[in-house]
Structure formats: C-alpha cells, structure tokens
Amino acid sequence: MSGPAFKNWQTIQDEVLRRIHAREWPPGHVIPGEVALAREFGCARATVNRALRALADAGILERRRKAGTRVALHPVSKATVDIPVIRREIEDRGRAYDYRLLTRETAPPPPRVQAELGLNGAAPCLHVTALHSADGAPYVHEDRWISLATVPQAAEADFTTVSANEWLLTTAPYTHGDITFAAEGAAHPAAEILTCPEGTPVFVIARITWDHGRAITTVRLTYAPGYRVRSEIGPATL
Amino acid sequence: MSGPAFKNWQTIQDEVLRRIHAREWPPGHVIPGEVALAREFGCARATVNRALRALADAGILERRRKAGTRVALHPVSKATVDIPVIRREIEDRGRAYDYRLLTRETAPPPPRVQAELGLNGAAPCLHVTALHSADGAPYVHEDRWISLATVPQAAEADFTTVSANEWLLTTAPYTHGDITFAAEGAAHPAAEILTCPEGTPVFVIARITWDHGRAITTVRLTYAPGYRVRSEIGPATL
DNA sequence: CCTGCCATTATGTCTAGACATATATACCTG
DNA sequence: CAGGTATATATGTCTAGACATAATGGCAGG
C-alpha cells in the first residue's frame, strides 16, 4: 500500500464519494465516525469534518449527533439555480440588452397582490411594468408591485433608464425570498408585448422578496417562448 | 458598549449581514480582512473564515486571495431547488402515489438522444415511458432513455413496480448532472396520457445524469398542467 | 511607456486539542 | 412492561498557530 496521502479535505471527500459509489457504503449505511476516519486517513478530525459536512450539505450524507453519519437513502439532489439581474443574464449570453419602461403608476394593489405582500387595503403600492429585450427581440415582460411602505424611496425613482429589477437589488436588498417556476399560457398584456399569440406556452417566474418580514416587492416575469432555465446538479454543485 | 459577544460563526455571519444591509458596507466595498475582523469580534480567525466562507457560498460576498473580500456588486441570488424522487414528492404532499409502466423496449435511440448521451449509433439503449399519478390524477409523464453501456443491469429490471426514476437513483448513482426547466405545449404521447389537449402549456424538466463522464440516462418529465416548482432564496438558503 | 519579475498580503487549509450539545441507548423505577 | 432518567458517544464548534497558495501592485529593466 503506497499511502494514498489523504492530505486535504477534498481528497477525503473524493474517497468517501468513491466508497459510496462503489457500494462499499451502500445507501443507509452508517459510516465510521470522524475519529476513526481521521485515524485511517492520517489527518486531523477537523479535516474529515470539513469533507463530511460538505457532503451533508450536498444531500449525499445525513448526519446526526450521537447517531453518526449515514449515506442518504434518498439522495435528494439539489439544483442551485442562479437568479441574476436580467440585464446581466442577457449580456452574459453575448446579446445586446435593451430595456423599456411600459407603465408606472401608484395604485392600491389588487387583492391577490395585497395578500402576497401581507398588506391591508390602504397601503399604497407602485405598479411598474417593463419589457427587457435581447438583440431587439422581446425577452421577458416584468410586472411588478413595490410596497411603498417598505421602500418609500421607490416613489422618487423613475425606472426609465434603470429597471426596477436592478434598482431594487442595489437599493433595497432583501433578507429572503420566495420563487416559483411555472408554465402558463401567455395572457392579455404580456402576450402582445412579447409578440406571441395568447395561450402560447410561456415560462413564468413569480418572486416575492422580504426584508426582515416586511414585504418589498412581488414580481411576475413572463419570458418569451423558448426560454429555459438551466442548472447543474450533483456533488460538485456545492 | 457591552461586548456583544460574537462567540460563534453564525453570530458573526448575522453581524456581517447586518452591516451589508445597513449600507455600512455597500455593494462593491472591500471589507476588513479576516485577522482584523477576528480581532474586532474577539474570536479566532478560523471562526471569521467560517462565517465569511458561508456568505461567499451564498453569493453575498466575493472572495479572492490577496484581493480580499468584497460585498458582491450583483447579489446573484441562488435558489436551491430540491429534486426528490417523484414518489416522495407526491407522498410528501400528502397525496396517494400511483405508478404505471407504459412502455419498455430496447432500441437504438434517436439522434437527439444519441447526442445527449454522447453515444455512437450502435449503442443499445433502454427506452422506458411511465406515468406517475397523485390521488389517481395524472401527475407527470416520464420519458426516459437509459444507456445500457453504462448501466447493463437495467436490462434485467422490469420497472413494473419500481419506477426507473427510483431504481436508477438507488442502483446507478450519478456523479453529476444537468437539468433544464422549460414551458412547452403538450405534445403527442404525453398530452393524451396527461389527459389534456395538445398544446396545453405544461412544465417540462429535462435531465441528463452522468457517472464520471459516462452518460447514464436522459429523461423528459412532462408535468400535468398547473405544476409549479417552488423554492426559497436568500442567505438563509444555505 | 511597456513588460516581466517579485515581494507582500489576504485567503485557504491543516493540526491538535478542548469544550458544547444533542441524543440513542442502557438502566432504573413504578 | 411502560416510562422516565442517566450516561456514553458522535457530531458541532472554537482556539491558536502554522504553512500553502495565489494574485496584486510596485519596481526594475528594456
């Protein structure tokens, strides 16, 4: 045995993955404890910890105090989807970005939006719709409600040159959010703006962002037909 | 000043987030080095490292050797989407799961699939289609090609009781994969199986998984109308 | 002025040891 | 046997120090 030299935590991670993969440690199997592995690999326990913790974050392992570490029975793979600013998303694909503000008005939001933002009827909101284009072709229609109670500065922003999408990210950062992906038929305003017949299958992303429990904004992004969200999955994801 | 006692890395992470949020450290700002922060917080550098590294993984910070740590200019939020086994996805929502194998045949794959799997024409593949139902209603149509060159055991599995989806995960784990989400109009076989008119907007997930560079399988999951993928975003994601 | 080299420096990682915390299991009691 | 309690144990985290690595910014030379 030429000591394989498990020096760094990535080497150890690879070896653990190899054993899982080779069925030396089948799903559900409780693997040796950190001290035992550290002894075997000839490294400090902290190094083993680093490797195992990374695998646990990736969903490959399940760890519980005292119970030990076991190979996940259902390897719930996690796909991490990057949600960049729309301008960047377009420019990163090497296409020319163009932005056009369509409407901008202060109004009481419809009940559905009120509920999403957790507001009562009186709260004023800013309603902004816009079109982002790539190489001159419609790319995504943005339909956004901004809570003026949370972001009063928005009342003075005009959104003609900088999109609300971008303005909010640099002005009113959120602490957490909620996002859903869905397939829908293109509906009234968005269909014409995206120049496709009503009912055309389109990809829709709905997002709500919060700042410490106070809702900032809710937005519906209706993408032009053909849009796809791509992501990679697997241990390397982390 | 009552020493706020920054004992653990999560406390430090919260404080760093607070400063970013309060614009003490605006986007693009280079924050103090680890040693300085460790001194300020009265803890070891490793603890600061743990906190900052977690924030960098979440996309809040950008770190580069020698250059230091800066607040991300474009806070690329990352949404981590869990991709469970379909049976679990349905059962976790408290609905009754049902599975039915529709077709199963060994055949040379069409060119598109060959290209995706990186195979030459001669390689035999297993083509499996199935329907997963929730509470008796069609939930998702599975159209899968399995590379018998990589997973020869699949030739003996009949997939009548255990879906290929589940069988593969526990039998032929992958090292990495690729996933895309799209909106499409329901097409020929899937439309009838999901009992919706052709052209109905449906959510489609296409996935390819690999084992050390050898393709395992490619699958198209066509979900019944109304399906949504939901996820949370933000620092808490990690 | 431009180019290439080099020292400085901030992050990346490892070590060895310690204490904290959860929790499965054994044990003990009613 | 049921249920509560004690204990052993595996992971979680922190410390203090050290070396590794990369890359920036200045400096020297063409």
Side-chain angles (χ1 to χ4, degrees):
Chain A
M1 281 268 283
S2 64
F6 296 112
K7 307 168 69 129
N8 53 13
W9 68 271
Q10 299 214 23
T11 316
I12 294 171
Q13 182 174 358
D14 289 346
E15 172 62 13
V16 171
L17 275 174
R18 189 195 64 74
R19 293 187 186 180
I20 293 172
H21 200 80
R23 287 290 186 276
E24 292 175 32
W25 294 341
H29 180 79
V30 177
I31 76 175
E34 294 188 349
V35 279
L37 289 176
R39 210 170 34 236
E40 179 190 343
F41 292 141
C43 66
R45 187 170 78 92
T47 310
V48 174
N49 186 307
R50 182 90 160 80
L52 297 187
R53 188 159 40 78
L55 289 173
D57 286 346
I60 310 283
L61 296 177
E62 290 173 1
R63 319 194 74 192
R64 257 166 47 230
R65 276 172 166 144
K66 163 72 181 175
T69 303
R70 66 173 54 212
V71 181
L73 280 169
H74 296 284
V76 177
S77 43
K78 295 175 181 176
T80 64
V81 180
D82 286 354
I83 315 286
V85 176
I86 294 170
R87 180 174 60 79
R88 263 182 77 96
E89 177 178 337
I90 291 175
E91 288 177 350
D92 285 355
R93 299 186 185 190
R95 308 176 68 181
Y97 174 71
D98 188 47
Y99 164 78
R100 189 155 53 92
L101 179 66
L102 299 175
T103 68
R104 180 192 182 285
E105 56 175 351
T106 307
R112 182 186 59 79
V113 173
Q114 274 182 38
E116 283 178 4
L117 297 178
L119 300 171
N120 53 15
C125 282
L126 192 61
H127 185 206
V128 175
T129 65
L131 174 66
H132 304 258
S133 303
D135 285 342
Y139 187 81
V140 59
H141 174 253
E142 174 180 356
D143 184 335
R144 181 184 296 272
W145 289 86
I146 301 169
S147 168
L148 288 174
T150 309
V151 196
Q153 318 95 289
E156 283 127 45
D158 72 344
F159 302 127
T160 51
T161 55
V162 176
S163 73
N165 177 279
E166 202 155 347
W167 184 88
L168 280 169
L169 272 179
T170 55
T171 310
Y174 56 85
T175 54
H176 65 285
D178 191 287
I179 188 168
T180 65
F181 306 89
E184 298 184 6
H188 163 48
E192 294 86 53
I193 292 160
L194 295 174
T195 63
C196 65
E198 286 200 19
T200 307
V202 288
F203 199 89
V204 175
I205 296 182
R207 200 162 59 202
I208 308 176
T209 54
W210 308 77
D211 174 20
H212 292 103
R214 295 160 59 86
I216 296 175
T217 184
T218 175
V219 62
R220 275 176 61 87
L221 298 171
T222 306
Y223 286 83
Y227 180 77
R228 306 166 160 261
V229 170
R230 200 185 147 281
S231 171
E232 288 175 8
I233 50 182
T237 301
L238 186 103
Chain B
M1 283 274 280
S2 65
F6 296 112
K7 306 168 70 127
N8 52 13
W9 68 271
Q10 300 216 21
T11 316
I12 294 171
Q13 182 173 1
D14 289 347
E15 172 62 12
V16 171
L17 276 174
R18 189 194 65 74
R19 293 187 187 180
I20 293 172
H21 200 79
R23 287 289 187 276
E24 292 176 32
W25 293 342
H29 181 80
V30 177
I31 76 175
E34 293 187 348
V35 280
L37 289 176
R39 210 170 35 235
E40 179 191 341
F41 292 141
C43 66
R45 186 171 79 93
T47 310
V48 174
N49 185 309
R50 182 91 160 79
L52 297 187
R53 188 160 38 79
L55 288 173
D57 286 346
I60 310 284
L61 296 177
E62 291 173 358
R63 319 194 74 192
R64 258 165 46 229
R65 274 172 167 145
K66 164 71 180 174
T69 302
R70 65 173 55 210
V71 182
L73 278 170
H74 297 283
V76 178
S77 41
K78 296 177 180 174
T80 64
V81 180
D82 286 353
I83 316 285
V85 176
I86 295 170
R87 179 174 61 77
R88 262 181 80 96
E89 178 177 336
I90 291 176
E91 288 177 351
D92 284 355
R93 298 185 185 192
R95 308 177 69 181
Y97 174 71
D98 189 47
Y99 165 77
R100 189 155 55 91
L101 178 66
L102 299 176
T103 69
R104 181 192 181 286
E105 56 174 352
T106 307
R112 184 186 58 79
V113 173
Q114 275 182 37
E116 282 178 5
L117 296 178
L119 299 172
N120 52 15
C125 282
L126 192 62
H127 185 207
V128 175
T129 65
L131 175 66
H132 304 259
S133 303
D135 286 344
Y139 187 81
V140 59
H141 175 254
E142 175 180 356
D143 184 336
R144 181 184 296 273
W145 289 87
I146 301 170
S147 169
L148 289 174
T150 310
V151 197
Q153 318 97 289
E156 283 127 45
D158 74 343
F159 301 127
T160 51
T161 55
V162 176
S163 73
N165 177 279
E166 203 155 346
W167 184 88
L168 280 169
L169 271 180
T170 56
T171 310
Y174 56 84
T175 54
H176 65 285
D178 191 286
I179 188 169
T180 64
F181 307 89
E184 297 184 7
H188 164 49
E192 296 84 52
I193 293 159
L194 295 173
T195 62
C196 65
E198 286 200 19
T200 308
V202 288
F203 200 88
V204 174
I205 296 182
R207 202 161 56 202
I208 307 176
T209 54
W210 309 77
D211 174 21
H212 292 104
R214 295 160 58 87
I216 296 174
T217 183
T218 174
V219 61
R220 275 176 60 88
L221 299 171
T222 306
Y223 286 83
Y227 180 78
R228 307 166 158 261
V229 170
R230 199 186 147 283
S231 171
E232 288 176 6
I233 49 181
T237 301
L238 187 105

